[in-house]
């Protein structure tokens, strides 16, 4: 993608790009919606951000990995915490976000809404 001088920069930003579900590509292949990152005045790498719906799927997979088991296998309190974290990250502003999260948690949409309302009451 780039020369050796840029490798430390790319190595440094890669975990962030991966966590967002983004894709790294050469700056000359950047599209209008891509973010080009420069280092010391030189374009080093372009980052293609995922669509919001893809980001939610990526976040859910990362949460499962962190929990060490499927989100549907968590107890009620842990599921409520997952919903709290997802709400803070804007997961429910995505179209079909509640349905997607409910499916991952193995609960109904109604239950997800109850978890959201419970959080607002505290």
């Amino acid at each position: 993608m780039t020369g050796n001088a840029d490798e430390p920069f790319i190595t440094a930003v890669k975990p962030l790009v991966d966590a967002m579900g983004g894709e790294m590509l050469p700056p000359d292949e950047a599209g209008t919606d891509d973010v080009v990152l420069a280092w010391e005045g030189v374009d080093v790498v372009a980052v293609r951000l995922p669509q919001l719906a893809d980001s939610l799927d990526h976040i859910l997979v990362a949460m499962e990995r962190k929990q060490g088991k499927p989100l549907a296998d968590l107890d009620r309190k842990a599921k409520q915490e997952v919903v709290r974290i997802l709400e803070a990250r804007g997961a429910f502003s995505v179209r079909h976000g509640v349905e997607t999260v409910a499916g991952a948690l193995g609960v109904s949409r109604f239950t997800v809404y109850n978890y959201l309302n419970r959080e607002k009451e505290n």
Side-chain angles (χ1 to χ4, degrees):
M1 182 178 311
T2 59
N4 289 343
D6 301 327
E7 282 303 315
F9 179 79
I10 291 172
T11 300
V13 299
K14 186 173 183 343
L16 177 62
V17 173
D18 289 347
M20 295 182 323
E23 175 186 356
M24 298 172 70
L25 53 147
D28 60 349
E29 294 180 18
T32 56
D33 292 334
D34 297 333
V35 179
V36 177
L37 302 177
W39 181 253
E40 297 180 349
V42 177
D43 291 346
V44 176
V45 64
V47 177
R48 181 158 296 151
L49 300 173
Q51 299 297 314
L52 284 176
D54 294 338
S55 292
L56 178 54
D57 290 338
H58 189 79
I59 290 167
L60 290 168
V61 167
M63 292 183 92
E64 279 194 345
R65 195 170 31 244
K66 184 177 180 181
Q67 295 290 333
K69 59 183 168 182
L71 297 178
D73 292 347
L74 299 176
D75 63 25
R76 183 178 50 81
K77 186 174 180 180
K79 288 179 182 182
Q80 289 170 338
E81 177 66 11
V82 166
V83 169
R84 186 193 64 73
I85 291 166
L86 291 171
E87 182 180 31
R89 295 184 73 178
F92 302 110
S93 63
V94 175
R95 186 171 187 218
H96 303 297
V98 171
E99 292 87 347
T100 301
V101 171
L105 292 175
V107 299
S108 68
R109 290 181 311 131
F110 180 75
T111 299
V112 172
Y113 285 119
N114 280 339
Y115 291 169
L116 289 167
N117 290 333
R118 180 175 180 203
E119 182 63 31
K120 289 181 175 122
E121 291 171 3
N122 293 333

